[in-house]
Amino acid sequence: MDFTLADPKHVSLVYSEYSREVARELAETFSGQPFNIQFFPDANAMSQNRLKLEDVDKPEACKALVKEHLRRFAKESIPPTLTFVDTTGGKVPMSIGAFQAAEEIGVSSIYVVGKENGFIKDPGKREHGYPVFISDHTDSL
C-alpha cells in the first residue's frame, strides 16, 4: 500500500521541556483556521506542562505517554487503522518508546525521511520529506 499523508483532524504531540515551546506553537497555529486540528494536549495545556514527557532518556516513559494519547483517540472513536505514530524527531529512546506503544496498541508507525541527504530542510513543506511505514497496521482499510 502506498502511504500518503492526509490532513489530520486530531493530533497528539509528545513534548519535553526542550520542545515545549515549539509544540505549543504548532498546536496554537494549526488548531485555528484554516486547519482546525484538535490537539491533545492543546496549546494552553502545554503552556502549563500538562502531559509533558519528563524523562527523554527512558523509553518506558515515552511509551506510557504515547499509549495514553492512543487510548484517548480510541475513546474519541478514531479507529486504530486510521491512526499512526510518527517516530521522527526527539531522542532515540523516545522513538523506541513511541514505536513500542504503537505496536502494543496495534497502530501503524512511520518515520519521515528527509530528501536533503536524509535531512528535512523545511518541515513546513511536505516535499522536503516523505513518510515510510515502520509497522503497517492498516491492512483492514
Side-chain angles (χ1 to χ4, degrees), residues 9-30:
K9 299 194 180 4
H10 302 271
V11 171
S12 285
L13 297 173
V14 173
Y15 70 97
S16 66
E17 188 60 37
Y18 308 107
S19 61
R20 181 185 67 211
E21 190 54 29
V22 171
R24 190 198 61 72
E25 286 175 13
L26 286 169
E28 191 171 83
T29 299
F30 290 100

Side-chain angles (χ1 to χ4, degrees), residues 59-69 71 97 101:
E60 62 273 11
C62 188
K63 178 175 135 179
L65 188 55
V66 171
K67 283 176 104 171
E68 184 173 343
H69 291 310
R71 287 185 189 112

Side-chain angles (χ1 to χ4, degrees), residues 25-98:
E25 286 175 13
L26 286 169
E28 191 171 83
T29 299
F30 290 100
S31 62
Q33 295 289 339
F35 306 103
N36 293 323
I37 298 171
Q38 182 181 349
F39 281 83
F40 176 77
D42 63 16
N44 184 51
M46 288 181 204
S47 293
Q48 297 173 24
N49 288 319
R50 285 192 237 144
L51 295 169
K52 177 178 78 173
L53 180 63
E54 295 295 336
D55 193 336
V56 297
D57 293 317
K58 291 189 176 172
E60 62 273 11
C62 188
K63 178 175 135 179
L65 188 55
V66 171
K67 283 176 104 171
E68 184 173 343
H69 291 310
L70 292 172
R71 287 185 189 112
R72 183 156 195 282
F73 287 148
K75 286 180 185 173
E76 298 268 334
S77 299
I78 301 168
T81 54
L82 297 178
T83 304
F84 68 87
V85 171
D86 182 353
T87 63
T88 313
K91 296 185 78 175
V92 171
M94 294 169 64
S95 294
I96 291 168

